[in-house]
Amino acid sequence: MNSDVFPAVAAEAAERLAAYWRALAAAELPVVPPGAPGTTLKALPETAPEQGEELTEILNDTWSTIVPQLVHWQHPGFLGYYPTNNSPASVLAELVTAGLGVQGMMWSTSPAATELEQRVCDWLALALALPEHFTHASGHGGGVIQDSASSAVLVALVAALNRASDGRWRQHGTEGRHRVYCTDQANSCVPKAARVAGVGEPVLVPTLHGTLTMDPVALAQRIDADRAAGLVPAAVVATVGTTSTCAIDPIHEIGPVCRERGTWLHVDAAYAGSAALCPELRCGHDGLEHADSYAVNAHKWMRTGTPCDVLWVADRHALTDAMSAAPSYLRNRATDSGTVVDFKDWQIPLGRPMRALKLWYVLRAHGLEGLRTVIRHDVRLAELLAELVENEPGFHLVAHALGLVVFRRSSDEQTHELAARLADEPGLLCTPTTVDGRPALRAAVGSPYADEAGIRRAWGVIRAHAHAAC
Amino acid sequence: MNSDVFPAVAAEAAERLAAYWRALAAAELPVVPPGAPGTTLKALPETAPEQGEELTEILNDTWSTIVPQLVHWQHPGFLGYYPTNNSPASVLAELVTAGLGVQGMMWSTSPAATELEQRVCDWLALALALPEHFTHASGHGGGVIQDSASSAVLVALVAALNRASDGRWRQHGTEGRHRVYCTDQANSCVPKAARVAGVGEPVLVPTLHGTLTMDPVALAQRIDADRAAGLVPAAVVATVGTTSTCAIDPIHEIGPVCRERGTWLHVDAAYAGSAALCPELRCGHDGLEHADSYAVNAHKWMRTGTPCDVLWVADRHALTDAMSAAPSYLRNRATDSGTVVDFKDWQIPLGRPMRALKLWYVLRAHGLEGLRTVIRHDVRLAELLAELVENEPGFHLVAHALGLVVFRRSSDEQTHELAARLADEPGLLCTPTTVDGRPALRAAVGSPYADEAGIRRAWGVIRAHAHAAC
């Protein structure tokens, strides 16, 4: 392939993307595509072409075949799940990262990729006011970019299992004795990580009545009982901003429970962690000095495209003792010298792209003040939406925190009916959940194009469906 | 941030990348940068900026601060590890993927992202002549894009553990009874995956004398002995193209051993799998009908930038039974209908970008014939290099397969000295390994700009260092 054609076709792609973003901003596209399962499959040939095709043709097909069957996650009417937002700075960085095409598994395989990652993880730790020992500069811990909060919690559990077994885990595995603790409000990635790590289902710690947050007294009792029974309480996973309702486990109470018992505390702040860029929204960070690890998805609410989860550990050796591998074909002087960070020993995969460029571009292009403005803007829009819900007869506000508003109708049947109607609504995406055993709907603000008019429009659609239903 | 500036700055980035690629093709850059540890860290401020900066300024800094301290993986003098190569088509696709910014955890969260991935995984399965049950179209198995061969083997082990325990694993973990088998030539990601999965160190099956490949008789004996001892032989990981010497485990003999015993067989073809695009290089595929899973890194030798590992499973339910999670906040009609694929249940992370666009662009832009031409070209260059080694007094060819040439000097001392000299050579990267307990050097051909002149130049450098040493 001749790379001379690249600048022109890349410029064309950039123009198409800018036009796509303008269409999203103007809400000219539906949020959810119309096609039934199989629509895209049918549009694609059953075998790969034998001969090469022109890039412009592939670009055309992208817009004619793929784009119309996407859910537009950046759309202002996208209120589902939690946001996965991006920005021109992030997209530009992805282009440059892909074009440079380096692999940063070790310091020696691309020094700047590793050192840039150390630096931007430190930048973000300072910006979020994390305890100093989470920075690389402290010499104790450090940050590393993972693909997801799922991988971050798995990596944390593995480090915890190794620490809890005094290294016996590396040779002999979990042996059925290790336990992991969380509540039933933890994201599904937490029990999944426990299973993947060979621990089986985690122990579910009761939540405090009404708050859906972990009961620290019950946690202490359960850990002590398990230890008395000969089990090994390896790790507690607390959540700052649960998926269902953005509930915040009391780290300041859970932290001492874990610290006194030598149990690893991982804090999953995948969504709400970004809000800590704003001092007044730094909820749930009290007690973080007791945490062994902490993770935030920059790709959720920090204008950085997915994947970009940042995991910090308080003690880097606790992590690398569990994750390191040093086969002869990876030996190099820098590693042997012990003076460098090899991120392969901070994650599951051996190889990795240059992960930090994207976060560097975003932090610089927006500036911390720019990112704070984004978050405060979305929080205000969520306040508006919560107000609209509260003032609407027949609607009940179930939860409201940061950019998330959870609501239901007066009866479960009505809520189910509204959810069913909204599932057929192309102009809006709200997603369901269950709170205290009852159905509810979630609306999470976070599109780069979110504004008051869009929120009022979305609310109008929700309200109209509710009224049409009863 | 104003997205209006994006097309111009993206066009500028594309021009810079094209110029970078021309400089690589002309070998105008060193392969390995000069800086000592800390060079990049020192060049970066200690805190993130409060106010936003211009994208063009960040782009300038990328080229002044980052690029000079990278190892250039696409450089024709890069012969280290195995290649991680890319192409304009792949880079273009990364730009589009980032710009569209969708998240494809489930079919419902972006139908086209899922269906495109099903289709391109099927395309590649057919192109590699994998057994039909590995395709989505078969209704039995299917392919999924992972970030790495490491994640692929971990996912396979988890599925194997669940199957081996009749589902008891999900609740109770590995309980110290499960065993995983490989040889000491398996990539370090295999024992790491076994540890992460809570199994501890894998059982190392002896290799056949002289070939460094798994001894199928010894494997059968070991599995039978373990089972007799009350253990659960859950999975065997065989390698098609080991990292050290590109050795190929005899799948046609290992396969029946596993099949008869109900043990999961995962085939790690991270590097050599790409060669199977060429019928005459489809070495090691005999017996694949017995494999439960198979993985190739398209990002190694298929002009697709990292990360892009494709994992196929013969039985999709064996995978999703282990990996699925269905919290209330992810419920949707399409999933409930059972008619769609939700790739979140085929991988560790919950979230995922649109992974398939890149592979689609590459397969179409190059065509299968174009990719075959690439591989045959590199194989011929490796033949040339192997010949040069064999004809050089004082050099010994240790192994030569596909694009890999492994060599040593007459004495281990001389090999160590050559390796030390090459570690200081900026124009070339060869990486060390150990074969049969003795040091050796690896040269793997795979740069997009590799040509005969480059190989002869590289050999001249190696030869000159060897002569200067003795």
Side-chain angles (χ1 to χ4, degrees), chain A residues 44 53 61-62 119 361 364, chain B residues 44 53 62 119 361 364:
Chain A
L44 297 166
E53 303 173 27
D61 290 349
T62 305
R119 186 48 48 101
Y361 273 46
R364 290 188 60 184
Chain B
L44 298 166
E53 303 174 26
T62 306
R119 186 47 51 99
Y361 274 46
R364 290 187 60 182

Side-chain angles (χ1 to χ4, degrees), chain A residues 1 3 6-7 9-10 13-15 17-18 20-21 35 37-41 44-53 55 58-59 61-62 66 69 71 73-74 81 86 88-89 91-92 94-96 98-103 105-112 115-116 119 123 126 147-148 150 154 169-171 173-176 187-188 192 195-198 200-201 243 323-324 327-331 333 340 344 347-350 360-361 364-369 372 420 423-424 432-434, chain B residues 1 3 6-7 9-10 13-15 17-18 20-21 35 37-41 44-53 55 58-59 61-62 66 69 71 73-74 81 86 88-89 91-92 94-96 98-103 105-112 115-116 119 123 126 147-148 150 154 169-171 173-176 187-188 192 195-198 200-201 243 323-324 327-331 333 340 344 347-350 360-361 364-369 372 420 423-424 432-434:
Chain A
M1 279 195 62
S3 63
F6 180 75
V9 71
E15 292 284 2
L17 289 173
Y20 171 71
W21 298 336
T39 301
T40 307
L41 270 175
L44 297 166
E46 289 182 9
T47 53
E50 285 292 317
Q51 304 304 324
E53 303 173 27
L55 289 174
I58 307 173
L59 213 49
D61 290 349
T62 305
I66 305 300
Q69 297 300 332
V71 172
W73 280 67
Q74 310 303 316
Y81 312 105
N86 69 8
V91 178
L92 182 70
E94 293 267 31
L95 166 62
V96 174
L100 294 175
V102 306
Q103 207 266 55
M105 60 184 168
M106 301 188 287
W107 180 90
S108 66
T109 69
S110 268
E115 295 189 12
L116 182 65
R119 186 48 48 101
W123 279 9
L126 295 171
D147 62 354
S148 60
S150 310
L154 176 56
W169 167 90
R170 270 186 84 107
Q171 184 64 37
T174 57
E175 300 177 303
N187 184 271
S188 61
K192 184 163 173 172
R195 290 193 297 268
V196 168
E201 294 295 340
T243 307
M323 303 290 282
S324 64
S328 58
Y329 46 81
L330 297 180
R331 278 201 69 175
R333 273 186 205 161
V340 299
K344 73 176 174 58
Q347 64 174 20
I348 305 292
L350 171 55
W360 188 48
Y361 273 46
R364 290 188 60 184
H366 295 263
L368 294 175
E369 206 42 57
R372 286 183 201 115
D424 288 326
T433 188
T434 303
Chain B
M1 277 194 64
S3 62
F6 180 75
V9 72
E15 292 283 4
L17 289 173
Y20 171 69
W21 297 337
T39 302
T40 307
L41 271 175
L44 298 166
E46 288 182 11
T47 53
E50 285 293 316
Q51 304 303 324
E53 303 174 26
L55 289 175
I58 306 172
L59 213 50
D61 290 348
T62 306
I66 305 301
Q69 296 300 332
V71 172
W73 281 67
Q74 310 303 317
Y81 312 104
N86 70 9
V91 178
L92 181 70
E94 294 267 31
L95 166 62
V96 174
L100 295 174
V102 307
Q103 208 265 55
M105 60 183 167
M106 301 188 288
W107 181 89
S108 67
T109 69
S110 268
E115 295 190 12
L116 182 65
R119 186 47 51 99
W123 279 9
L126 295 172
D147 62 353
S148 60
S150 311
L154 176 57
W169 167 90
R170 270 184 85 106
Q171 184 65 38
T174 56
E175 299 177 304
N187 185 270
S188 61
K192 183 163 173 172
R195 289 193 297 268
V196 168
E201 294 295 341
T243 307
M323 303 290 283
S324 64
S328 59
Y329 46 81
L330 297 180
R331 278 200 69 174
R333 274 187 205 160
V340 299
K344 74 176 175 56
Q347 63 174 19
I348 305 292
L350 171 55
W360 188 48
Y361 274 46
R364 290 187 60 182
H366 294 263
L368 295 175
E369 207 40 59
R372 287 183 200 116
D424 288 326
T433 189
T434 303

